[in-house]
Amino acid sequence: MSTGHDAGPRNEAAAARAAVERLTALGATLAVAESLTGGLVAAELTAVPGASRAFRGSVTAYATELKRDVLGVDGTLLAERGAVDPDVARAMAAGARRVLGADWGASTTGVAGPDPQDGQPVGTVYVAVSGPGGEDKVRALRLNGGRADIRKESVRSVLALLLGELLGNERAQDTEQNGGT
């Protein structure tokens, strides 16, 4: 479990800038599916000059049925586990990629408060990334603070996770091009 204090960009603006720069360098695109962050990830990305070269768009699927009907999250999964679940986060990221035609997808789902949701306490957050080569990564967060703090750290965390995957993907491509060394 991450507490949200991993290595990487120290704030959401730096994380967004680094992610857009890496995506642009790779010639790759990104789509985002957001729940608890309500569009904050997209706002940070679009605040970066030149973001249009990499950022395709986002779906703010706050309501559970939108996760199912727009992003294609399995209805049985949602009914059995609720919207605050690692597999839901994974499916949201993959759905954003598919629906918006991007190379990479990222997602946020969780409980920002003030009340628990789906049996999950406030501060329970899942962020996920889905990549073009089948890379799916989910990070579980247990965050402290008020609603604004939880949402802000969720934005930074999903962008840091994306950046980590983009850097790992680039290293894998370099290894392949250099004969596996």
Side-chain angles (χ1 to χ4, degrees), residues 19 117 122 168:
Q117 178 187 334
V122 172

Side-chain angles (χ1 to χ4, degrees), residues 8-22 44-45 47-48 152 155-160 162-163:
R10 294 173 97 50
N11 65 48
E12 60 280 11
R17 185 173 45 261
V20 167
E21 288 171 358
R22 181 60 51 210
E44 286 297 337
L45 289 164
V48 177
K152 182 176 178 176
V155 171
R156 192 204 63 79
S157 294
V158 74
L159 292 171
L162 173 65
L163 186 58

Side-chain angles (χ1 to χ4, degrees), residues 57-119:
S58 66
V59 173
T60 301
Y62 212 60
T64 298
E65 66 269 15
L66 293 179
K67 293 173 182 69
R68 181 192 66 223
D69 297 344
V70 176
L71 295 171
V73 177
D74 182 69
T76 303
L77 172 66
L78 288 164
E80 290 177 355
R81 298 194 208 160
V84 182
D85 180 83
D87 290 330
V88 170
R90 183 178 289 111
M92 287 174 63
R97 276 186 63 222
R98 184 182 64 257
V99 169
L100 298 174
D103 300 310
W104 291 86
S107 69
T108 63
T109 188
V111 186
D115 301 314
Q117 178 187 334
D118 295 333

Side-chain angles (χ1 to χ4, degrees), residues 95-167:
R97 276 186 63 222
R98 184 182 64 257
V99 169
L100 298 174
D103 300 310
W104 291 86
S107 69
T108 63
T109 188
V111 186
D115 301 314
Q117 178 187 334
D118 295 333
Q120 299 288 343
V122 172
T124 302
V125 175
Y126 296 96
V127 297
V129 171
S130 176
E135 310 91 333
D136 286 334
K137 184 82 89 170
V138 178
R139 181 172 293 155
L141 308 172
R142 300 294 181 256
L143 303 174
N144 297 313
R147 184 174 174 80
D149 297 323
I150 290 168
R151 294 174 75 209
K152 182 176 178 176
E153 183 57 26
S154 298
V155 171
R156 192 204 63 79
S157 294
V158 74
L159 292 171
L161 179 62
L162 173 65
L163 186 58
E165 290 302 299
L166 291 169
L167 292 170

